[in-house]
Amino acid sequence: MKKIAVIFGTRPDTIKLAPVIIELKKLKKQFQVITIATAQHRQMLDQVLNVFNIRPNYDLDIMQPNQSLAMLTKNTVEALDLILEKEKPDMVLVQGDTTTTFVGSLAAFYRQIPVGHVEAGLRTNDKLNPFPEEINRRLTSTIAELHFAPTETAKNALKKENISGKNIFVTGNTVIDALEIAVKKDYSFSVTALEEILSQKKKIVLLTMHRRENWGEPMRGACKAVKKLAQLYPNINFVFPVHLNPVVKDLVHENLENLTNVFLIAPLDYSDFVNLMSKSYLIITDSGGVQEEGPHFGIPILVLRTVTERPEAVKYGTVKLVGLDENKIFSIAKKLLSNKRDYKKMASAVNPYGDGLAAVRTVQIIQNYFGFSKQKIKEFVPHK
Ligand code: UD1
Ligand code: UDP
């Protein structure tokens, strides 16, 4: 019996670790699973925990309003160390590129516990973009023992950094496993405002923004573009679940309030969000996870960033990097909203990120690592 500590704390890392926790828990004779929530996010974490019915064994309740990266890092490493000392797990699992991810792997390293990194190998090769995530994931790769790369591109990036190929596995991204759990045909939304919006039978443009490198002017430019679009297309509803980071929340409300067809709403729980996504016409976002989910439904995505560590869907044509320039965002979105041919060209359901089996592969690899099995791992290959 091996003890696996799964560490998570924000909305995206929890969504993407949920399928792995579910798979690990099926193997009761092999694994004891300890779930540790740093709660780097509070409300947005709880929304995910409820959807996947996860009751963490430990909840560090770290989040402070307007927390600084340094404070967050310090509080998280101290609190995690106490738990790792007490629980002495045989492996720690972390996901992605948040402070919880990096600090979780660092705390494990200090206790000489091997780390498995889910969604390893994403790179822009620009230290400040995304900030601080590019460095968080590089530091995590340096520490990790097992690297669960979502795509071949990610695997190659890790190899380039001299990480041994025998410890890197292309699993696909667990984000698609999570989607398959949450998206339902006859879904009824828990937020009644959404039912009302949908009952208007108008096209929906779904929006999200939160990235630190976009704070200030860049994000203001994106909001202005959205405002112009909303004014030009009164028959389209723009639904914007606004991230709880006060910097983001204040800026978005300042720029987009009081428009009849722009709905600034609280973050949606994961099921409401992805089911709304499945009914959307266009997505405008700076989110990493949303960039991976949209292509699953064949919904065109305009990404409010200048670089992306997720080049696959850009290559396939479902995702366009539009940057943060107000005029550029406006004109590209306008073209898509008014020209069916351009829209159709982008709206093809391709799935470069996963096939719903990423968590199964991840757990098979962990079983092999501990000698419970010698399974041949059938790596993820995308189908066009
Ligand atoms: C964090 C991650 C980022 C990830 C994003 C996903 C870091 C440094 N950043 O950014 O990589 O893409 O989450 O959303 O790890 N807040 C609340 N309630 C919540 C969540 C946040 O009030 O449920 C507010 C708090 O004031 C908090 C602030 O947002 O201090 C910032 O949260 P933090 O996790 O530090 O950064 P994010 O911008 O959310
Ligand atoms: N998401 C959600 N509710 C929302 C907005 C997004 O559950 O109101 C989900 C979305 O489906 C995706 C994840 O949150 O899986 C993305 O998180 P976020 O954009 O906060 O972080 P990133 O992926 O950029 O790190």
Side-chain angles (χ1 to χ4, degrees), residues 15-16 19 173-180 270 289 292-293 353:
I15 290 168
K16 290 169 171 178
N173 199 310
T174 54
V175 76
I176 305 299
D177 308 20
L179 266 190
E180 290 188 354
Y270 176 66
E292 295 156 345
E293 291 162 339
Y353 296 117

Side-chain angles (χ1 to χ4, degrees), residues 96-110:
D97 55 19
T98 65
T99 296
T100 291
T101 316
F102 160 55
V103 176
S105 62
L106 183 67
F109 172 68
Y110 285 160

Side-chain angles (χ1 to χ4, degrees), residues 70-85:
M71 259 323 212
L72 174 63
T73 302
K74 168 186 169 288
N75 293 340
T76 309
V77 77
E78 277 178 358
L80 280 176
D81 186 54
L82 294 176
I83 298 169
L84 295 181
E85 183 186 23

Side-chain angles (χ1 to χ4, degrees), residues 126-142:
D126 178 348
K127 274 188 205 170
L128 295 175
N129 202 344
F131 175 84
E133 292 85 1
E134 178 73 5
I135 290 300
N136 282 344
R137 53 199 178 209
R138 281 172 178 272
L139 295 171
T140 306
S141 295
T142 312

